[in-house]
Amino acid sequence: MMVFTGNANPKLAEEVVAHLNIGLGRATVGRFSDGEILVELLENVRGKDVFVLQSTCSPTNDNLMEVMVMVDALRRSSAGRITAAIPYFGYSRQDRRPRSARVAITAKVVANMLTSVGVNRVLTMDLHSDQMQGFFDIPVDNIYATPLLLSDLWQQNYENLVVVSPDVGGVVRARACAKQLNSDLAIIDKRRPKHNVAKVMNIIGDVADRTCVIMDDMVDTANTLCEAAAALKEQGAVKVVAYCTHPVLSGGAAERISDSALDELVVTNTIPLKAEAAACSKIRQLSSASLLAETIRRISREDSVSSLFMD
């Protein structure tokens, strides 16, 4: 087994291989003067079980292209099996044509690209929609950060807890967490007039005098979170914390969170925090390295991955 990485999140890759007790695969992942990506493998991979560990976060296109070029280099160097381990799968939100709009289903485009370049298997974490696994004609292991997030939540020992879904689409995830925590569930009904703009309309459930925990797969501009936190506080919530897997945190998200009614945002390190997010006192990051490492180990040994997440 070997693990290679690009420039998106080398710190996470180093943590993962430390858990696996192996060294990080040696490769040069650089740029020509015009921005073209150059990959050169610096060790033998013939017949090896190789994992390319890289989130396709910002800059999304560069990081995605690094994965593609590295996979091609591995395939041409006779790697035995190539698994694209993409903790945060960029373009996953573009997974359908809303109301038959004339748009691309870009998540499917990326799936086709990964398959065509020679990826044998995909490992990812908290896909934006589970059904996106059907875009691939190769095996996909979609693992969940829920055990990490719930473990931290239990340690906080919050009283009078209620789990909140930030929208109707996240009800399944929130309900599963509420079941694990043996707590009530609330739902926020929102209207989105345009992309990256959310307007909270109504709260379904009792949140007065309670600690509200918002569960979501990612936080991007944080408009939704901040609107939700304000609405929950207006309805009498004592405290509002959010647990999200992927800290995209684009634009002025960190400043928006800092100025909001949200008490704390807990995220994982599938995406490295930008400087302004790392400096925000309300944002706390957990490591997903141990979970990723155990999953990689099980895939390499042909052991069950789903048993990691069974109740």
Side-chain angles (χ1 to χ4, degrees):
M1 176 173 58
M2 302 180 74
V3 177
F4 288 85
T5 191
N7 296 310
N9 197 350
K11 185 177 178 181
L12 174 60
E14 289 168 3
E15 289 184 32
V16 168
V17 296
H19 282 284
L20 293 170
N21 293 317
I22 62 175
L24 194 59
R26 293 183 296 113
T28 298
V29 183
R31 300 284 190 279
F32 287 104
S33 58
D34 65 349
E36 286 186 12
I37 292 167
L38 167 68
V39 171
E40 181 181 1
L41 307 178
L42 302 178
E43 50 189 303
N44 177 31
V45 297
R46 185 177 295 272
K48 301 293 178 65
D49 188 11
V50 182
F51 293 80
V52 178
L53 177 58
Q54 169 128 309
S55 286
T56 51
C57 51
S58 179
T60 307
N61 296 332
D62 286 353
N63 290 329
L64 177 60
M65 197 62 190
E66 284 185 7
V67 173
M68 301 293 181
V69 177
M70 185 170 288
V71 168
D72 187 72
L74 289 165
R75 182 174 60 83
R76 294 177 187 279
S77 301
S78 303
R81 180 175 67 174
I82 304 170
T83 301
I86 307 174
Y88 170 68
F89 197 100
Y91 288 111
S92 63
R93 285 174 284 183
Q94 299 183 52
D95 59 352
R96 65 194 182 282
R97 291 177 64 201
R99 298 185 181 274
S100 298
R102 296 181 181 89
V103 297
I105 303 179
T106 319
K108 173 60 174 171
V109 174
V110 175
N112 288 343
M113 290 169 65
L114 288 168
T115 304
S116 65
V117 81
V119 171
N120 303 116
R121 188 180 200 98
V122 171
L123 164 62
T124 188
M125 180 179 287
D126 277 328
L127 274 175
H128 190 59
S129 56
D130 285 345
Q131 62 268 29
M132 209 188 97
Q133 296 172 73
F135 291 175
F136 292 88
D137 294 322
I138 56 177
V140 177
D141 290 299
N142 178 31
I143 64 173
Y144 304 96
T146 308
L148 298 174
L149 302 179
L150 289 183
S151 176
D152 183 82
L153 192 51
W154 277 317
Q155 290 176 28
Q156 302 305 314
N157 198 26
Y158 291 122
E159 294 182 359
N160 206 11
L161 197 68
V162 58
V163 175
V164 180
S165 173
D167 51 36
V168 175
V171 169
V172 173
R173 179 185 298 104
R175 184 187 293 122
C177 293
K179 180 182 176 182
Q180 292 281 342
L181 295 166
N182 194 27
S183 68
D184 294 332
L185 176 67
I187 302 168
I188 295 177
D189 170 43
K190 72 168 188 247
R191 305 291 172 88
R192 190 187 294 274
K194 58 183 179 179
H195 290 299
N196 290 333
V197 176
K199 177 66 177 178
V200 173
M201 300 296 290
N202 191 30
I203 295 174
I204 305 168
D206 181 20
V207 299
D209 301 319
R210 309 190 71 173
T211 298
C212 296
V213 177
I214 301 173
M215 306 295 295
D216 209 352
D217 63 321
M218 70 173 71
V219 50
D220 187 355
T221 61
N223 278 319
T224 297
L225 275 185
C226 295
E227 291 274 2
L232 290 167
K233 287 287 181 74
E234 286 175 8
Q235 293 294 320
V238 175
K239 190 170 188 176
V240 180
V241 296
Y243 280 76
C244 303
T245 304
H246 308 299
V248 179
L249 297 175
S250 62
E255 183 180 357
R256 196 171 293 116
I257 290 168
S258 182
D259 296 337
S260 73
L262 190 68
D263 292 287
E264 186 178 43
L265 169 63
V266 182
V267 297
T268 74
N269 62 344
T270 56
I271 300 173
L273 290 181
K274 298 171 184 174
E276 57 271 23
C280 179
S281 60
K282 289 187 177 181
I283 299 176
R284 182 162 56 89
Q285 195 170 40
L286 307 175
S287 177
S288 60
S290 60
L291 179 58
L292 287 167
E294 178 59 26
T295 307
I296 288 172
R297 183 182 289 111
R298 291 187 179 213
I299 291 172
S300 184
R301 293 178 178 176
E302 304 291 350
D303 291 336
S304 170
V305 171
S306 59
S307 61
L308 276 170
F309 307 98
M310 289 181 178
D311 293 341

PDB file of all heavy atoms in Angstrom, residues 26-59:
ATOM      1  N   ARG A  26       6.696   9.526  -2.509  1.00  0.00           N
ATOM      2  CA  ARG A  26       7.495  10.651  -2.996  1.00  0.00           C
ATOM      3  C   ARG A  26       7.134  10.959  -4.451  1.00  0.00           C
ATOM      4  O   ARG A  26       7.190  10.094  -5.313  1.00  0.00           O
ATOM      5  CB  ARG A  26       8.978  10.345  -2.874  1.00  0.00           C
ATOM      6  CG  ARG A  26       9.458  10.243  -1.419  1.00  0.00           C
ATOM      7  CD  ARG A  26      10.950  10.004  -1.306  1.00  0.00           C
ATOM      8  NE  ARG A  26      11.339   8.719  -1.891  1.00  0.00           N
ATOM      9  CZ  ARG A  26      12.083   8.579  -2.973  1.00  0.00           C
ATOM     10  NH1 ARG A  26      12.552   9.656  -3.595  1.00  0.00           N
ATOM     11  NH2 ARG A  26      12.399   7.383  -3.418  1.00  0.00           N
ATOM     12  N   ALA A  27       6.762  12.199  -4.677  1.00  0.00           N
ATOM     13  CA  ALA A  27       6.404  12.651  -6.026  1.00  0.00           C
ATOM     14  C   ALA A  27       6.592  14.157  -6.105  1.00  0.00           C
ATOM     15  O   ALA A  27       6.457  14.872  -5.115  1.00  0.00           O
ATOM     16  CB  ALA A  27       4.961  12.284  -6.355  1.00  0.00           C
ATOM     17  N   THR A  28       6.883  14.619  -7.291  1.00  0.00           N
ATOM     18  CA  THR A  28       6.946  16.052  -7.564  1.00  0.00           C
ATOM     19  C   THR A  28       5.640  16.474  -8.214  1.00  0.00           C
ATOM     20  O   THR A  28       5.262  15.933  -9.259  1.00  0.00           O
ATOM     21  CB  THR A  28       8.117  16.382  -8.503  1.00  0.00           C
ATOM     22  OG1 THR A  28       9.346  16.018  -7.882  1.00  0.00           O
ATOM     23  CG2 THR A  28       8.141  17.874  -8.829  1.00  0.00           C
ATOM     24  N   VAL A  29       4.938  17.400  -7.579  1.00  0.00           N
ATOM     25  CA  VAL A  29       3.697  17.928  -8.142  1.00  0.00           C
ATOM     26  C   VAL A  29       3.895  19.432  -8.261  1.00  0.00           C
ATOM     27  O   VAL A  29       3.731  20.183  -7.299  1.00  0.00           O
ATOM     28  CB  VAL A  29       2.480  17.603  -7.249  1.00  0.00           C
ATOM     29  CG1 VAL A  29       1.195  18.102  -7.908  1.00  0.00           C
ATOM     30  CG2 VAL A  29       2.390  16.110  -6.968  1.00  0.00           C
ATOM     31  N   GLY A  30       4.267  19.864  -9.448  1.00  0.00           N
ATOM     32  CA  GLY A  30       4.623  21.269  -9.639  1.00  0.00           C
ATOM     33  C   GLY A  30       3.881  21.906 -10.800  1.00  0.00           C
ATOM     34  O   GLY A  30       2.880  21.386 -11.290  1.00  0.00           O
ATOM     35  N   ARG A  31       4.371  23.048 -11.240  1.00  0.00           N
ATOM     36  CA  ARG A  31       3.741  23.813 -12.310  1.00  0.00           C
ATOM     37  C   ARG A  31       4.803  24.267 -13.307  1.00  0.00           C
ATOM     38  O   ARG A  31       5.936  24.584 -12.941  1.00  0.00           O
ATOM     39  CB  ARG A  31       3.057  25.074 -11.766  1.00  0.00           C
ATOM     40  CG  ARG A  31       1.958  24.837 -10.752  1.00  0.00           C
ATOM     41  CD  ARG A  31       0.670  24.358 -11.409  1.00  0.00           C
ATOM     42  NE  ARG A  31      -0.443  24.357 -10.475  1.00  0.00           N
ATOM     43  CZ  ARG A  31      -0.676  23.387  -9.584  1.00  0.00           C
ATOM     44  NH1 ARG A  31       0.167  22.354  -9.500  1.00  0.00           N
ATOM     45  NH2 ARG A  31      -1.720  23.435  -8.780  1.00  0.00           N
ATOM     46  N   PHE A  32       4.416  24.292 -14.589  1.00  0.00           N
ATOM     47  CA  PHE A  32       5.218  24.990 -15.582  1.00  0.00           C
ATOM     48  C   PHE A  32       4.941  26.489 -15.444  1.00  0.00           C
ATOM     49  O   PHE A  32       4.028  26.900 -14.724  1.00  0.00           O
ATOM     50  CB  PHE A  32       4.857  24.512 -16.991  1.00  0.00           C
ATOM     51  CG  PHE A  32       5.364  23.127 -17.317  1.00  0.00           C
ATOM     52  CD1 PHE A  32       4.502  22.045 -17.321  1.00  0.00           C
ATOM     53  CD2 PHE A  32       6.703  22.910 -17.606  1.00  0.00           C
ATOM     54  CE1 PHE A  32       4.957  20.776 -17.610  1.00  0.00           C
ATOM     55  CE2 PHE A  32       7.170  21.643 -17.902  1.00  0.00           C
ATOM     56  CZ  PHE A  32       6.293  20.568 -17.903  1.00  0.00           C
ATOM     57  N   SER A  33       5.684  27.290 -16.113  1.00  0.00           N
ATOM     58  CA  SER A  33       5.545  28.738 -15.959  1.00  0.00           C
ATOM     59  C   SER A  33       4.181  29.237 -16.404  1.00  0.00           C
ATOM     60  O   SER A  33       3.709  30.284 -15.941  1.00  0.00           O
ATOM     61  CB  SER A  33       6.644  29.461 -16.748  1.00  0.00           C
ATOM     62  OG  SER A  33       6.577  29.106 -18.124  1.00  0.00           O
ATOM     63  N   ASP A  34       3.501  28.508 -17.291  1.00  0.00           N
ATOM     64  CA  ASP A  34       2.179  28.935 -17.745  1.00  0.00           C
ATOM     65  C   ASP A  34       1.048  28.333 -16.919  1.00  0.00           C
ATOM     66  O   ASP A  34      -0.127  28.523 -17.233  1.00  0.00           O
ATOM     67  CB  ASP A  34       1.983  28.583 -19.225  1.00  0.00           C
ATOM     68  CG  ASP A  34       1.982  27.088 -19.470  1.00  0.00           C
ATOM     69  OD1 ASP A  34       2.335  26.325 -18.530  1.00  0.00           O
ATOM     70  OD2 ASP A  34       1.629  26.665 -20.588  1.00  0.00           O
ATOM     71  N   GLY A  35       1.396  27.606 -15.857  1.00  0.00           N
ATOM     72  CA  GLY A  35       0.382  27.050 -14.970  1.00  0.00           C
ATOM     73  C   GLY A  35       0.061  25.591 -15.207  1.00  0.00           C
ATOM     74  O   GLY A  35      -0.700  24.989 -14.433  1.00  0.00           O
ATOM     75  N   GLU A  36       0.584  24.992 -16.272  1.00  0.00           N
ATOM     76  CA  GLU A  36       0.349  23.565 -16.512  1.00  0.00           C
ATOM     77  C   GLU A  36       0.917  22.737 -15.364  1.00  0.00           C
ATOM     78  O   GLU A  36       1.968  23.061 -14.809  1.00  0.00           O
ATOM     79  CB  GLU A  36       0.997  23.121 -17.825  1.00  0.00           C
ATOM     80  CG  GLU A  36       0.280  23.588 -19.066  1.00  0.00           C
ATOM     81  CD  GLU A  36       0.889  22.991 -20.318  1.00  0.00           C
ATOM     82  OE1 GLU A  36       1.709  22.058 -20.200  1.00  0.00           O
ATOM     83  OE2 GLU A  36       0.573  23.474 -21.416  1.00  0.00           O
ATOM     84  N   ILE A  37       0.206  21.656 -15.027  1.00  0.00           N
ATOM     85  CA  ILE A  37       0.609  20.818 -13.899  1.00  0.00           C
ATOM     86  C   ILE A  37       1.574  19.737 -14.361  1.00  0.00           C
ATOM     87  O   ILE A  37       1.365  19.085 -15.395  1.00  0.00           O
ATOM     88  CB  ILE A  37      -0.634  20.193 -13.236  1.00  0.00           C
ATOM     89  CG1 ILE A  37      -1.444  21.300 -12.564  1.00  0.00           C
ATOM     90  CG2 ILE A  37      -0.263  19.113 -12.225  1.00  0.00           C
ATOM     91  CD1 ILE A  37      -2.824  20.901 -12.141  1.00  0.00           C
ATOM     92  N   LEU A  38       2.624  19.551 -13.584  1.00  0.00           N
ATOM     93  CA  LEU A  38       3.646  18.529 -13.862  1.00  0.00           C
ATOM     94  C   LEU A  38       3.713  17.580 -12.683  1.00  0.00           C
ATOM     95  O   LEU A  38       3.857  18.004 -11.528  1.00  0.00           O
ATOM     96  CB  LEU A  38       5.014  19.190 -14.073  1.00  0.00           C
ATOM     97  CG  LEU A  38       6.220  18.246 -14.076  1.00  0.00           C
ATOM     98  CD1 LEU A  38       6.189  17.336 -15.292  1.00  0.00           C
ATOM     99  CD2 LEU A  38       7.525  19.037 -14.027  1.00  0.00           C
ATOM    100  N   VAL A  39       3.586  16.292 -12.945  1.00  0.00           N
ATOM    101  CA  VAL A  39       3.701  15.270 -11.904  1.00  0.00           C
ATOM    102  C   VAL A  39       4.780  14.274 -12.302  1.00  0.00           C
ATOM    103  O   VAL A  39       4.778  13.748 -13.422  1.00  0.00           O
ATOM    104  CB  VAL A  39       2.360  14.525 -11.704  1.00  0.00           C
ATOM    105  CG1 VAL A  39       2.556  13.321 -10.783  1.00  0.00           C
ATOM    106  CG2 VAL A  39       1.321  15.457 -11.124  1.00  0.00           C
ATOM    107  N   GLU A  40       5.687  14.017 -11.377  1.00  0.00           N
ATOM    108  CA  GLU A  40       6.705  12.986 -11.589  1.00  0.00           C
ATOM    109  C   GLU A  40       6.797  12.117 -10.333  1.00  0.00           C
ATOM    110  O   GLU A  40       7.013  12.619  -9.231  1.00  0.00           O
ATOM    111  CB  GLU A  40       8.072  13.612 -11.874  1.00  0.00           C
ATOM    112  CG  GLU A  40       9.145  12.565 -12.130  1.00  0.00           C
ATOM    113  CD  GLU A  40      10.515  13.170 -12.384  1.00  0.00           C
ATOM    114  OE1 GLU A  40      10.640  14.409 -12.336  1.00  0.00           O
ATOM    115  OE2 GLU A  40      11.467  12.400 -12.614  1.00  0.00           O
ATOM    116  N   LEU A  41       6.592  10.814 -10.504  1.00  0.00           N
ATOM    117  CA  LEU A  41       6.712   9.878  -9.386  1.00  0.00           C
ATOM    118  C   LEU A  41       8.179   9.573  -9.142  1.00  0.00           C
ATOM    119  O   LEU A  41       8.942   9.341 -10.084  1.00  0.00           O
ATOM    120  CB  LEU A  41       5.953   8.584  -9.701  1.00  0.00           C
ATOM    121  CG  LEU A  41       4.487   8.758 -10.120  1.00  0.00           C
ATOM    122  CD1 LEU A  41       3.870   7.401 -10.440  1.00  0.00           C
ATOM    123  CD2 LEU A  41       3.695   9.451  -9.026  1.00  0.00           C
ATOM    124  N   LEU A  42       8.570   9.567  -7.880  1.00  0.00           N
ATOM    125  CA  LEU A  42       9.985   9.402  -7.533  1.00  0.00           C
ATOM    126  C   LEU A  42      10.276   8.041  -6.907  1.00  0.00           C
ATOM    127  O   LEU A  42      11.343   7.852  -6.333  1.00  0.00           O
ATOM    128  CB  LEU A  42      10.407  10.526  -6.573  1.00  0.00           C
ATOM    129  CG  LEU A  42      10.201  11.952  -7.104  1.00  0.00           C
ATOM    130  CD1 LEU A  42      10.609  12.977  -6.054  1.00  0.00           C
ATOM    131  CD2 LEU A  42      10.986  12.169  -8.406  1.00  0.00           C
ATOM    132  N   GLU A  43       9.319   7.104  -7.001  1.00  0.00           N
ATOM    133  CA  GLU A  43       9.577   5.755  -6.518  1.00  0.00           C
ATOM    134  C   GLU A  43       8.737   4.747  -7.294  1.00  0.00           C
ATOM    135  O   GLU A  43       7.779   5.102  -7.981  1.00  0.00           O
ATOM    136  CB  GLU A  43       9.327   5.639  -5.026  1.00  0.00           C
ATOM    137  CG  GLU A  43       8.007   6.159  -4.512  1.00  0.00           C
ATOM    138  CD  GLU A  43       8.014   6.173  -2.990  1.00  0.00           C
ATOM    139  OE1 GLU A  43       8.246   5.106  -2.395  1.00  0.00           O
ATOM    140  OE2 GLU A  43       7.788   7.243  -2.392  1.00  0.00           O
ATOM    141  N   ASN A  44       9.118   3.473  -7.175  1.00  0.00           N
ATOM    142  CA  ASN A  44       8.479   2.394  -7.911  1.00  0.00           C
ATOM    143  C   ASN A  44       7.082   2.102  -7.367  1.00  0.00           C
ATOM    144  O   ASN A  44       6.894   1.931  -6.166  1.00  0.00           O
ATOM    145  CB  ASN A  44       9.353   1.130  -7.798  1.00  0.00           C
ATOM    146  CG  ASN A  44       8.727  -0.066  -8.468  1.00  0.00           C
ATOM    147  OD1 ASN A  44       8.003   0.079  -9.453  1.00  0.00           O
ATOM    148  ND2 ASN A  44       8.985  -1.248  -7.942  1.00  0.00           N
ATOM    149  N   VAL A  45       6.076   2.045  -8.267  1.00  0.00           N
ATOM    150  CA  VAL A  45       4.695   1.749  -7.851  1.00  0.00           C
ATOM    151  C   VAL A  45       4.149   0.505  -8.549  1.00  0.00           C
ATOM    152  O   VAL A  45       2.972   0.186  -8.415  1.00  0.00           O
ATOM    153  CB  VAL A  45       3.769   2.954  -8.141  1.00  0.00           C
ATOM    154  CG1 VAL A  45       4.191   4.181  -7.337  1.00  0.00           C
ATOM    155  CG2 VAL A  45       3.722   3.271  -9.638  1.00  0.00           C
ATOM    156  N   ARG A  46       4.990  -0.206  -9.283  1.00  0.00           N
ATOM    157  CA  ARG A  46       4.524  -1.360 -10.061  1.00  0.00           C
ATOM    158  C   ARG A  46       3.841  -2.394  -9.161  1.00  0.00           C
ATOM    159  O   ARG A  46       4.418  -2.882  -8.192  1.00  0.00           O
ATOM    160  CB  ARG A  46       5.696  -2.011 -10.800  1.00  0.00           C
ATOM    161  CG  ARG A  46       5.291  -3.152 -11.739  1.00  0.00           C
ATOM    162  CD  ARG A  46       6.489  -3.688 -12.496  1.00  0.00           C
ATOM    163  NE  ARG A  46       7.046  -2.671 -13.392  1.00  0.00           N
ATOM    164  CZ  ARG A  46       6.635  -2.475 -14.640  1.00  0.00           C
ATOM    165  NH1 ARG A  46       5.668  -3.225 -15.129  1.00  0.00           N
ATOM    166  NH2 ARG A  46       7.184  -1.542 -15.383  1.00  0.00           N
ATOM    167  N   GLY A  47       2.572  -2.687  -9.493  1.00  0.00           N
ATOM    168  CA  GLY A  47       1.822  -3.706  -8.764  1.00  0.00           C
ATOM    169  C   GLY A  47       1.333  -3.281  -7.393  1.00  0.00           C
ATOM    170  O   GLY A  47       0.724  -4.087  -6.677  1.00  0.00           O
ATOM    171  N   LYS A  48       1.547  -2.041  -7.005  1.00  0.00           N
ATOM    172  CA  LYS A  48       1.184  -1.590  -5.656  1.00  0.00           C
ATOM    173  C   LYS A  48      -0.298  -1.155  -5.584  1.00  0.00           C
ATOM    174  O   LYS A  48      -0.902  -0.796  -6.582  1.00  0.00           O
ATOM    175  CB  LYS A  48       2.075  -0.415  -5.224  1.00  0.00           C
ATOM    176  CG  LYS A  48       3.571  -0.726  -5.202  1.00  0.00           C
ATOM    177  CD  LYS A  48       3.910  -1.741  -4.126  1.00  0.00           C
ATOM    178  CE  LYS A  48       5.397  -2.081  -4.127  1.00  0.00           C
ATOM    179  NZ  LYS A  48       6.249  -0.953  -3.779  1.00  0.00           N
ATOM    180  N   ASP A  49      -0.826  -1.198  -4.366  1.00  0.00           N
ATOM    181  CA  ASP A  49      -2.168  -0.692  -4.085  1.00  0.00           C
ATOM    182  C   ASP A  49      -2.007   0.778  -3.696  1.00  0.00           C
ATOM    183  O   ASP A  49      -1.590   1.090  -2.578  1.00  0.00           O
ATOM    184  CB  ASP A  49      -2.799  -1.499  -2.946  1.00  0.00           C
ATOM    185  CG  ASP A  49      -4.272  -1.162  -2.735  1.00  0.00           C
ATOM    186  OD1 ASP A  49      -4.846  -0.465  -3.584  1.00  0.00           O
ATOM    187  OD2 ASP A  49      -4.840  -1.602  -1.709  1.00  0.00           O
ATOM    188  N   VAL A  50      -2.344   1.681  -4.608  1.00  0.00           N
ATOM    189  CA  VAL A  50      -2.002   3.098  -4.455  1.00  0.00           C
ATOM    190  C   VAL A  50      -3.250   3.937  -4.186  1.00  0.00           C
ATOM    191  O   VAL A  50      -4.292   3.768  -4.835  1.00  0.00           O
ATOM    192  CB  VAL A  50      -1.279   3.635  -5.702  1.00  0.00           C
ATOM    193  CG1 VAL A  50      -0.889   5.091  -5.508  1.00  0.00           C
ATOM    194  CG2 VAL A  50      -0.044   2.798  -6.013  1.00  0.00           C
ATOM    195  N   PHE A  51      -3.121   4.858  -3.229  1.00  0.00           N
ATOM    196  CA  PHE A  51      -4.192   5.804  -2.897  1.00  0.00           C
ATOM    197  C   PHE A  51      -3.695   7.209  -3.192  1.00  0.00           C
ATOM    198  O   PHE A  51      -2.621   7.602  -2.722  1.00  0.00           O
ATOM    199  CB  PHE A  51      -4.577   5.690  -1.423  1.00  0.00           C
ATOM    200  CG  PHE A  51      -5.224   4.377  -1.059  1.00  0.00           C
ATOM    201  CD1 PHE A  51      -4.453   3.247  -0.837  1.00  0.00           C
ATOM    202  CD2 PHE A  51      -6.613   4.275  -0.952  1.00  0.00           C
ATOM    203  CE1 PHE A  51      -5.044   2.031  -0.512  1.00  0.00           C
ATOM    204  CE2 PHE A  51      -7.201   3.073  -0.620  1.00  0.00           C
ATOM    205  CZ  PHE A  51      -6.425   1.945  -0.403  1.00  0.00           C
ATOM    206  N   VAL A  52      -4.471   7.961  -3.957  1.00  0.00           N
ATOM    207  CA  VAL A  52      -4.183   9.376  -4.196  1.00  0.00           C
ATOM    208  C   VAL A  52      -5.110  10.167  -3.289  1.00  0.00           C
ATOM    209  O   VAL A  52      -6.314  10.250  -3.522  1.00  0.00           O
ATOM    210  CB  VAL A  52      -4.402   9.763  -5.669  1.00  0.00           C
ATOM    211  CG1 VAL A  52      -4.136  11.256  -5.870  1.00  0.00           C
ATOM    212  CG2 VAL A  52      -3.508   8.929  -6.578  1.00  0.00           C
ATOM    213  N   LEU A  53      -4.547  10.726  -2.213  1.00  0.00           N
ATOM    214  CA  LEU A  53      -5.342  11.411  -1.188  1.00  0.00           C
ATOM    215  C   LEU A  53      -5.307  12.915  -1.426  1.00  0.00           C
ATOM    216  O   LEU A  53      -4.276  13.561  -1.228  1.00  0.00           O
ATOM    217  CB  LEU A  53      -4.790  11.070   0.204  1.00  0.00           C
ATOM    218  CG  LEU A  53      -5.451  11.738   1.412  1.00  0.00           C
ATOM    219  CD1 LEU A  53      -6.933  11.430   1.460  1.00  0.00           C
ATOM    220  CD2 LEU A  53      -4.780  11.297   2.698  1.00  0.00           C
ATOM    221  N   GLN A  54      -6.448  13.458  -1.870  1.00  0.00           N
ATOM    222  CA  GLN A  54      -6.486  14.893  -2.157  1.00  0.00           C
ATOM    223  C   GLN A  54      -7.930  15.379  -2.239  1.00  0.00           C
ATOM    224  O   GLN A  54      -8.719  14.872  -3.036  1.00  0.00           O
ATOM    225  CB  GLN A  54      -5.779  15.197  -3.484  1.00  0.00           C
ATOM    226  CG  GLN A  54      -5.985  16.601  -3.995  1.00  0.00           C
ATOM    227  CD  GLN A  54      -4.707  17.331  -4.324  1.00  0.00           C
ATOM    228  OE1 GLN A  54      -3.795  17.381  -3.510  1.00  0.00           O
ATOM    229  NE2 GLN A  54      -4.628  17.901  -5.506  1.00  0.00           N
ATOM    230  N   SER A  55      -8.281  16.368  -1.428  1.00  0.00           N
ATOM    231  CA  SER A  55      -9.579  17.019  -1.563  1.00  0.00           C
ATOM    232  C   SER A  55      -9.549  17.958  -2.754  1.00  0.00           C
ATOM    233  O   SER A  55      -8.540  18.618  -3.012  1.00  0.00           O
ATOM    234  CB  SER A  55      -9.917  17.817  -0.292  1.00  0.00           C
ATOM    235  OG  SER A  55     -10.273  16.964   0.771  1.00  0.00           O
ATOM    236  N   THR A  56     -10.666  18.030  -3.485  1.00  0.00           N
ATOM    237  CA  THR A  56     -10.735  18.942  -4.622  1.00  0.00           C
ATOM    238  C   THR A  56     -11.408  20.245  -4.178  1.00  0.00           C
ATOM    239  O   THR A  56     -12.451  20.651  -4.697  1.00  0.00           O
ATOM    240  CB  THR A  56     -11.483  18.298  -5.803  1.00  0.00           C
ATOM    241  OG1 THR A  56     -12.732  17.770  -5.339  1.00  0.00           O
ATOM    242  CG2 THR A  56     -10.675  17.176  -6.394  1.00  0.00           C
ATOM    243  N   CYS A  57     -10.785  20.879  -3.194  1.00  0.00           N
ATOM    244  CA  CYS A  57     -11.251  22.156  -2.655  1.00  0.00           C
ATOM    245  C   CYS A  57     -10.594  23.296  -3.432  1.00  0.00           C
ATOM    246  O   CYS A  57      -9.867  23.069  -4.390  1.00  0.00           O
ATOM    247  CB  CYS A  57     -10.905  22.246  -1.168  1.00  0.00           C
ATOM    248  SG  CYS A  57      -9.166  21.872  -0.789  1.00  0.00           S
ATOM    249  N   SER A  58     -10.832  24.520  -3.012  1.00  0.00           N
ATOM    250  CA  SER A  58     -10.272  25.688  -3.693  1.00  0.00           C
ATOM    251  C   SER A  58      -8.740  25.696  -3.637  1.00  0.00           C
ATOM    252  O   SER A  58      -8.168  25.432  -2.573  1.00  0.00           O
ATOM    253  CB  SER A  58     -10.816  26.967  -3.050  1.00  0.00           C
ATOM    254  OG  SER A  58     -10.282  28.096  -3.667  1.00  0.00           O
ATOM    255  N   PRO A  59      -8.057  25.954  -4.771  1.00  0.00           N
ATOM    256  CA  PRO A  59      -8.574  26.154  -6.120  1.00  0.00           C
ATOM    257  C   PRO A  59      -9.022  24.821  -6.737  1.00  0.00           C
ATOM    258  O   PRO A  59      -8.190  23.950  -7.031  1.00  0.00           O
ATOM    259  CB  PRO A  59      -7.380  26.747  -6.870  1.00  0.00           C
ATOM    260  CG  PRO A  59      -6.170  26.227  -6.132  1.00  0.00           C
ATOM    261  CD  PRO A  59      -6.585  26.095  -4.699  1.00  0.00           C
TER     262      PRO A  59
END
